[in-house]
Amino acid sequence: MKRNLLIVFVVVASVNVYSQTILSTLEAKDHIGDSAYVKGKVSEIITSDKGNVTISFDNKYPEHTFSVVVFKKKSIDISGIKVGNTLTVYGWIIS
């Protein structure tokens, strides 16, 4: 069974990630419990009834390899993120 991943605290860092290791969405599964930069192609963006946003990578849910949740209360502007964008995110990787 494919294991889907989730980053809970997200700071979208789409440009200028200096001298940090950037994991692919496939490599993230080997870093559960770590904080890391993860880079991949956005495949789907879904907003819940509560205003939280889930961004899926590589394929649409449930076939995605990685996902990010941006909680409404964090007030992060994600309006510039579109399906097909390559995106780098930073946060704590959990399963």
Side-chain angles (χ1 to χ4, degrees):
M1 177 160 58
K2 186 182 283 190
R3 190 173 200 168
N4 296 316
L5 303 175
L6 173 72
I7 289 187
V8 288
F9 178 68
V10 176
V11 176
V12 178
S14 58
V15 292
N16 298 332
V17 179
Y18 297 105
S19 68
Q20 296 286 330
T21 300
I22 301 173
L23 305 173
S24 72
T25 54
L26 295 174
E27 293 171 315
K29 70 182 182 312
D30 299 325
H31 296 272
I32 303 293
D34 296 340
S35 292
Y37 288 95
V38 178
K39 183 177 181 177
K41 184 176 177 183
V42 175
S43 59
E44 184 175 47
I45 302 168
I46 298 173
T47 303
S48 73
D49 294 338
K50 294 181 180 180
N52 300 320
V53 176
T54 301
I55 303 171
S56 296
F57 288 79
D58 302 321
N59 294 298
K60 291 183 179 181
Y61 176 86
E63 299 299 320
H64 60 292
T65 57
F66 185 80
S67 61
V68 171
V69 175
V70 180
F71 295 103
K72 180 180 179 180
K73 66 182 178 180
K74 293 294 181 188
S75 300
I76 298 171
D77 180 13
I78 61 164
S79 62
I81 300 171
K82 308 292 182 210
V83 170
N85 287 161
T86 297
L87 182 66
T88 302
V89 296
Y90 178 82
W92 181 40
I93 302 172
I94 64 170
S95 173

